[in-house]
Amino acid sequence: MAVTLKQIAEKAGVSLTTVSFALRGKQPGKRRLSPITVERILKVADEMGYRPNHVAASLAGKKTYTIGVLVTALRGDFYERVLFGIKKEVYPKFSPVLAVHNYNSGYEKNELENFISKRVDGVIAAFSGHAENIELYREIKEKYNIPIVLLDRRIPGLELPLVRPDHFDTSYQAVNSLFALGHRNITYIGGADNLEYMKLFNQGYQTAMTELGLKDNISVISQSHAHQNQKVLKKFAAQVISAWEQSSPQPTALLVISDWLAYEILGVCQDRGIKVPDDLSVMGLDDCSPSELPTIGLSSVWADQEKVGEIAAKLLLERIENNTGEPTRIILPVHLRMRKTTRPL
Amino acid sequence: MAVTLKQIAEKAGVSLTTVSFALRGKQPGKRRLSPITVERILKVADEMGYRPNHVAASLAGKKTYTIGVLVTALRGDFYERVLFGIKKEVYPKFSPVLAVHNYNSGYEKNELENFISKRVDGVIAAFSGHAENIELYREIKEKYNIPIVLLDRRIPGLELPLVRPDHFDTSYQAVNSLFALGHRNITYIGGADNLEYMKLFNQGYQTAMTELGLKDNISVISQSHAHQNQKVLKKFAAQVISAWEQSSPQPTALLVISDWLAYEILGVCQDRGIKVPDDLSVMGLDDCSPSELPTIGLSSVWADQEKVGEIAAKLLLERIENNTGEPTRIILPVHLRMRKTTRPL
DNA sequence: ATGAAAGCGCTAACAT
DNA sequence: ATGTTAGCGCTTTCAT
């Protein structure tokens, strides 16, 4: 069945060690081998159809060349882009093990334990927010000395490097751009603020409004659970628009925590004959791909998620290779994407 | 650092073997151990914070409890759903290693070799279509005896189990539903037919048209590369509509190979003042999530991709566990989702 | 009911 | 320039 180093060694008339080094090139402990033997070994290995056994190599070498990537969810082309950035950065030296927790504490625990058992060389994770798993993160870091890089949010009590888009500036910029268009009455449609990015969105909104002298116009509508299925979003969207219809003075713009919720709001507007952007401007905050579709054209704020992944991976590799690195915090700039759902007043 | 079986054995005053069995429950070779020792071992292990080392277990046990999942791409909520189905089915016994080839032969080769080196227990793969990798698939199957289940398309010359939605019936049903609405002049907007599903889409269209006595109305517009970025799609969409505008008699309906292309077509129609569905009905074939958005409402054909993943995983597990199973072919039914871009004539 | 011991296939000192 | 050898942390016969 599977060919081993030993078999190659026998066939090539050299020792197993020589084969091991020959096959891996010169990288490790500077052993010098005659090019002629190397060539012979390579040939034999090729003829026999040798495939290295990573499992054995990992056990012996105490390195698995594997990193654990734990994200909150896969849907919605968000962590997909992050994952792509990670893959790009570590390829082909490391391979990522993908895990998803969906904000479920049990899944998160399970996946993290799995990372430990798999002896991954490093972890990139988006913390779920469940405090009961903090000790597990600490164990990974301190007991197992596995480097961790965080995505999007910190873990209270743990000093860990973090990479995320500038959430505060996201809503801050959005409010300012709306202001520049002439809007003064801007309502923020938010989430429960239990996740750090939501809190920052909210703060960015509040700060911008205050700075612009619009403190009295601040108004927030929010719903407890942010990550929901389409049905729940639809219902919430209807509530938002009903509230808007009844309010006076009516806000001229809505700043919406997620593009997918904004799409539903657009739908409700359409049903009720509210013209966007003529009667109402709508703006999302996490530029998802449908926003760019010609029939949607939702104004939103774009973050380079791929770069988030790349940088996280880069930080992780540094830490894996040099066992160094302080808990840096890297906040990436975001960019306005003004499209068709916002207009000058 | 990491606690080992040996350390637990010493602390508990038993042999390493006993610890190994105790920790894994009763499953393997029916060894009987006194509940009292088991309890003590469990307690010690817990106190010491033991985490099993999967790497060592895999090497010794010749099973990695890992399956390789190779898909064509991640974007577009397609393989995402498949992956979800797979995870659901194998959790928590096996963990999937995710690989993506993007129709690139080199990546595919690399990822498959990686699967071998990782000694995965099984493989679920969507073949890229590149013939030069067929031997590698054969090697996995025959030399390494690693079970493989295919997604979406066969591999010429290899008898392997396959799971896919009914691509033929997708376009076949679509044409019939359009016919039922009164449409007779239906154009198919397709791809290069180099992938099996494209060929089947095309055949379903041709067959349905022929059966309905619409042989003379058959018309196909296609473009070589199907999986492109938005810019290319936009351009192709413009060409499609230009062709439509100039044709006479004008088709009343467009059957579009992918929903994302259809969205762009909708955009072009909007720009040129063509009313959908009043002037033209548009229908997609791979129901993606934006189709359901209220402001899009693209009619399409839905396939239960999650179930594709589930079934593929189920077939794979059977083969891993019993080393049995013929090359079954499972074709899942698809369902029409008539929304707002199609209308009765 | 429990242990001892032989690997699994490789890496990395430590020779020569 | 190449070989010998001792593990890595487990699973699994084979004993007792």
Side-chain angles (χ1 to χ4, degrees):
Chain A
M1 285 206 26
V3 180
T4 67
L5 288 191
K6 200 173 159 194
Q7 292 170 30
I8 298 177
E10 279 162 11
K11 206 153 201 161
V14 291
S15 81
L16 188 158
T17 307
T18 306
V19 177
S20 171
F21 280 90
L23 255 32
R24 279 178 298 158
K26 59 211 63 183
Q27 322 150 13
K30 58 304 179 94
R31 170 175 277 242
R32 307 156 43 96
L33 8 204
S34 85
I36 164 139
T37 23
V38 170
E39 196 170 351
R40 182 158 36 98
I41 292 173
L42 256 36
K43 189 159 153 279
V44 173
D46 186 50
E47 282 169 10
M48 301 179 73
Y50 175 73
R51 304 283 179 195
N53 183 327
H54 287 351
V55 180
S58 296
L59 182 59
K62 294 160 165 326
K63 261 186 175 52
T64 55
Y65 292 100
T66 274
I67 64 175
V69 178
L70 176 61
V71 299
T72 58
L74 230 32
R75 312 240 9 198
D77 79 4
F78 189 84
Y79 280 114
E80 231 170 79
R81 306 199 293 221
V82 176
L83 185 61
F84 187 78
I86 294 174
K87 283 209 93 150
K88 202 168 110 185
E89 184 65 31
V90 306
Y91 183 88
K93 197 161 180 195
F94 286 77
S95 58
V97 185
L98 181 62
V100 178
H101 62 58
N102 261 310
Y103 297 99
N104 174 313
S105 167
Y107 288 158
E108 183 178 36
K109 177 162 182 282
N110 220 297
E111 299 287 17
L112 290 172
E113 285 175 338
N114 202 249
F115 286 169
I116 298 180
S117 281
K118 280 199 146 59
R119 299 299 193 263
V120 298
D121 293 339
V123 168
I124 295 180
F127 178 49
S128 70
H130 291 286
E132 60 267 38
N133 286 331
I134 295 183
E135 280 315 306
L136 191 45
Y137 280 100
R138 189 192 306 283
E139 186 181 348
I140 293 178
K141 183 194 175 196
E142 290 169 7
K143 178 163 179 188
Y144 288 89
N145 283 307
I146 301 176
I148 307 180
V149 173
L150 258 23
L151 255 22
D152 286 330
R153 66 193 69 88
R154 289 169 301 173
I155 298 181
L158 280 185
E159 290 296 325
L160 253 18
L162 166 72
V163 186
R164 63 166 173 83
D166 194 336
H167 301 303
F168 177 91
D169 199 47
T170 298
S171 47
Y172 184 87
Q173 275 200 50
V175 170
N176 276 287
S177 69
L178 255 10
F179 181 87
L181 290 177
H183 295 273
R184 296 294 176 268
N185 219 321
I186 305 167
T187 295
Y188 172 60
I189 313 300
D193 282 20
N194 55 338
L195 257 24
E196 196 175 31
Y197 82 91
M198 296 184 182
K199 215 172 300 175
L200 289 170
F201 275 175
N202 201 338
Q203 286 173 9
Y205 166 75
Q206 308 264 354
T207 305
M209 291 294 278
T210 306
E211 284 181 10
L212 294 167
L214 267 27
K215 206 172 161 90
D216 293 342
N217 292 356
I218 286 178
S219 89
V220 175
I221 304 181
S222 56
Q223 201 197 25
S224 351
H225 305 290
H227 295 269
Q228 305 121 327
N229 58 47
Q230 212 160 348
K231 204 173 256 171
V232 178
L233 288 184
K234 232 186 239 313
K235 205 169 139 196
F236 183 45
Q239 290 169 16
V240 167
I241 292 303
S242 296
W244 175 79
E245 282 173 323
Q246 287 157 31
S247 58
S248 102
Q250 273 188 334
T252 58
L254 260 31
L255 203 58
V256 186
I257 188 169
S258 90
D259 282 21
W260 283 86
L261 175 56
Y263 306 145
E264 296 299 337
I265 289 178
L266 258 27
V268 175
C269 288
Q270 184 175 280
D271 289 349
R272 304 198 188 171
I274 300 164
K275 293 245 180 302
V276 174
D278 305 310
D279 305 335
L280 175 65
S281 285
V282 177
M283 184 156 182
L285 289 171
D286 61 351
D287 197 39
C288 294
S289 41
S291 296
E292 186 138 357
L293 289 178
T295 46
I296 293 194
L298 178 73
S299 296
S300 193
V301 187
W302 185 80
D304 193 341
Q305 300 291 357
E306 197 177 314
K307 184 163 265 172
V308 168
E310 262 180 64
I311 293 182
K314 203 168 296 186
L315 291 180
L316 188 68
L317 293 191
E318 277 173 19
R319 278 152 186 74
I320 290 176
E321 273 147 23
N322 318 325
N323 197 30
T324 168
E326 313 84 73
T328 338
R329 202 155 279 161
I330 296 190
I331 314 292
L332 296 176
V334 295
H335 304 280
L336 289 171
R337 289 274 185 277
M338 300 311 273
R339 288 186 275 243
K340 303 184 314 196
T341 57
T342 44
R343 66 144 194 158
L345 228 48
Chain B
M1 283 205 28
V3 181
T4 67
L5 289 190
K6 199 172 158 194
Q7 293 170 31
I8 297 177
E10 280 161 11
K11 205 154 203 160
V14 291
S15 80
L16 188 160
T17 310
T18 306
V19 177
S20 170
F21 280 90
L23 255 29
R24 280 177 297 157
K26 56 210 66 185
Q27 321 151 16
K30 59 307 181 97
R31 169 175 276 241
R32 306 156 44 94
L33 10 205
S34 85
I36 164 142
T37 23
V38 171
E39 195 168 353
R40 182 159 35 99
I41 292 173
L42 256 36
K43 186 158 156 280
V44 173
D46 186 51
E47 282 169 10
M48 302 180 72
Y50 174 73
R51 304 282 178 194
N53 183 328
H54 287 349
V55 180
S58 296
L59 183 59
K62 292 159 167 328
K63 264 188 173 54
T64 57
Y65 292 100
T66 274
I67 64 174
V69 178
L70 177 61
V71 300
T72 59
L74 229 35
R75 313 241 7 199
D77 80 3
F78 190 84
Y79 280 113
E80 229 171 78
R81 304 199 294 219
V82 176
L83 185 61
F84 187 78
I86 294 174
K87 283 208 93 149
K88 203 168 111 185
E89 185 64 33
V90 306
Y91 183 89
K93 197 162 180 195
F94 286 77
S95 57
V97 184
L98 182 61
V100 178
H101 61 58
N102 261 310
Y103 297 100
N104 175 311
S105 168
Y107 288 158
E108 183 178 35
K109 176 160 181 283
N110 219 297
E111 299 287 19
L112 290 173
E113 285 175 337
N114 202 250
F115 286 169
I116 297 181
S117 281
K118 280 200 146 60
R119 299 297 191 265
V120 298
D121 293 338
V123 168
I124 295 179
F127 177 48
S128 70
H130 292 286
E132 61 267 35
N133 286 331
I134 295 183
E135 281 315 306
L136 190 46
Y137 280 100
R138 190 194 306 284
E139 186 182 347
I140 294 178
K141 183 195 174 195
E142 290 169 6
K143 178 164 178 185
Y144 289 88
N145 284 307
I146 301 177
I148 306 180
V149 173
L150 258 24
L151 255 22
D152 286 331
R153 66 193 69 91
R154 290 170 300 175
I155 297 181
L158 280 185
E159 291 294 326
L160 255 18
L162 166 73
V163 186
R164 62 167 173 83
D166 194 336
H167 301 304
F168 177 92
D169 200 47
T170 297
S171 45
Y172 184 87
Q173 274 199 51
V175 170
N176 277 285
S177 70
L178 255 11
F179 181 87
L181 290 176
H183 294 273
R184 297 294 176 266
N185 219 322
I186 305 167
T187 295
Y188 172 59
I189 313 300
D193 282 21
N194 56 338
L195 257 25
E196 196 176 29
Y197 82 90
M198 295 183 182
K199 216 172 299 175
L200 289 170
F201 274 175
N202 201 338
Q203 286 171 10
Y205 166 74
Q206 307 265 352
T207 304
M209 291 294 278
T210 305
E211 285 180 10
L212 294 167
L214 266 29
K215 205 173 163 86
D216 293 343
N217 292 356
I218 287 179
S219 90
V220 175
I221 304 181
S222 55
Q223 199 196 27
S224 350
H225 305 290
H227 294 271
Q228 305 120 327
N229 59 46
Q230 212 161 348
K231 205 174 256 172
V232 177
L233 288 184
K234 232 185 238 316
K235 205 170 140 197
F236 183 44
Q239 291 168 16
V240 166
I241 292 303
S242 296
W244 174 79
E245 282 173 324
Q246 286 156 30
S247 59
S248 101
Q250 272 186 336
T252 58
L254 261 30
L255 204 58
V256 186
I257 188 170
S258 90
D259 282 21
W260 282 86
L261 175 57
Y263 305 146
E264 295 299 337
I265 288 178
L266 259 27
V268 176
C269 288
Q270 184 176 278
D271 289 348
R272 304 198 188 171
I274 300 164
K275 294 244 181 301
V276 174
D278 305 309
D279 305 334
L280 175 65
S281 285
V282 177
M283 183 158 183
L285 289 172
D286 60 351
D287 199 39
C288 294
S289 42
S291 297
E292 187 140 355
L293 290 177
T295 45
I296 294 195
L298 178 72
S299 296
S300 193
V301 186
W302 185 79
D304 192 340
Q305 300 290 358
E306 196 175 316
K307 185 164 267 174
V308 168
E310 261 180 65
I311 294 182
K314 203 168 295 187
L315 291 181
L316 189 68
L317 293 190
E318 277 173 18
R319 277 152 186 76
I320 290 176
E321 273 147 22
N322 317 326
N323 196 28
T324 168
E326 313 83 72
T328 339
R329 203 155 277 161
I330 297 189
I331 314 292
L332 296 176
V334 295
H335 305 280
L336 289 170
R337 289 276 185 277
M338 300 310 275
R339 289 187 274 244
K340 302 185 313 196
T341 58
T342 44
R343 65 142 194 160
L345 229 47

